[in-house]
């Protein structure tokens, strides 16, 4: 059984579906159970919040590994997932980080925040895999209002990214 955080988001929804289709047992962490309706039938759903350690510990109970992601800044949710993993005796975490973590040496605030979260995981002693993707295609959905207005403001001027 794998616990998937962010299960109602872009990455988590796709991951839950993929794992379920491949026959893995999946438990989706959701804040609002009504949002779990978009997830496949037959998966386990745990109601919880990254800011609520007790709910995380309950959700992590009996799982073999955790897919971890957080959208809010700060290290408190990361500390909570580490504490929950320890309490539930889960040794392995796959953490969605970002290529932006490499901005940390130049003291970029986003890079520094991401690096601080990775440091919490690194110092936990748990087995952690760090995923550091580049920009998601789903970001293009942020352009919808601009497209509706007939123009897209492109910060790369004009440039390319993956
Ligand atoms: N966008 C990019 O280009 C990019 C690039 C590299 C890395 N990343 C990383 O990818 C992640 C974003 O992934 P995404 O696009 O899948 O995000 P998303 O679609 O915005 O989904 C966010 C998920 O997190 C859940 N969530 C938010 N706050 C929570 C809390 N306090 N407790 C429990 N769950 C909570 C949301 O649940 P609700 O349904 O309840 O809101 C939702 O399921 C970030 O960590 C970001 O650093 C993004």
């Amino acid at each position: 059984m794998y616990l998937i955080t962010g299960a109602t988001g872009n990455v988590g929804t796709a991951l839950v579906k993929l794992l379920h289709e491949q026959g893995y047992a999946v438990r989706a962490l959701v804040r609002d159970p009504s949002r779990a309706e978009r997830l496949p039938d037959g998966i386990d759903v745990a109601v919880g919040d990254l800011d609520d350690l007790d709910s995380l510990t309950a959700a992590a109970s009996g799982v073999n590994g955790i897919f971890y992601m957080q959208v809010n800044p700060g290290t408190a949710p990361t500390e909570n997932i580490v504490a929950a993993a320890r309490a539930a005796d889960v040794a392995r975490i796959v953490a969605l980080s970002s290529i932006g973590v490499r901005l940390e040496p130049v003291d970029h605030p986003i890079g520094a925040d991401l690096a601080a979260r990775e440091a919490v995981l690194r110092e936990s002693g748990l087995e952690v895999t760090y995923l550091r993707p580049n920009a998601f295609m789903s970001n293009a959905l942020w352009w919808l209002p601009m497209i509706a207005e007939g123009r897209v403001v492109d910060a790369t001027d004009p440039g390319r990214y993956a």
Side-chain angles (χ1 to χ4, degrees):
M1 171 79 75
Y2 296 112
L3 176 66
I4 311 299
T5 66
T8 54
N10 295 313
V11 174
T13 301
L15 179 59
V16 167
K17 285 182 183 162
L18 276 173
L19 289 173
H20 181 66
E21 282 166 13
Q22 291 174 22
Y24 294 99
V26 176
R27 181 176 296 156
L29 183 81
V30 300
R31 293 192 287 185
D32 174 357
S34 71
R35 304 253 301 146
E37 286 166 10
R38 65 184 59 195
L39 297 172
D41 291 337
I43 64 155
D44 217 27
V45 174
V47 178
D49 194 299
L50 297 178
D51 297 323
D52 176 356
L53 175 56
D54 289 344
S55 70
L56 285 185
T57 304
S61 172
V63 307
N64 308 101
I66 298 172
F67 172 77
Y68 178 66
M69 57 158 282
Q70 73 176 71
V71 287
N72 292 335
T75 55
T78 321
E79 285 160 10
N80 279 343
I81 204 72
V82 166
R86 284 202 186 110
D89 207 17
V90 182
R92 181 158 166 68
I93 294 178
V94 174
L96 177 57
S97 182
S98 165
I99 194 172
V101 77
R102 300 185 65 187
L103 296 169
E104 189 264 342
V106 294
D107 206 21
H108 187 286
I110 294 175
D113 190 57
L114 289 162
R117 291 186 226 163
E118 284 198 9
V120 169
L121 292 164
R122 200 170 300 113
E123 288 158 17
S124 71
L126 299 168
E127 184 189 340
V128 182
T129 300
Y130 304 90
L131 306 176
R132 292 175 169 175
N134 198 342
F136 296 169
M137 288 179 73
S138 53
N139 295 354
L141 294 171
W142 298 336
W143 303 346
L144 278 173
M146 290 187 283
I147 292 170
E149 285 176 12
R151 70 196 184 109
V152 173
V153 179
D154 176 7
T156 62
D157 190 31
R160 297 175 178 175
Y161 59 54

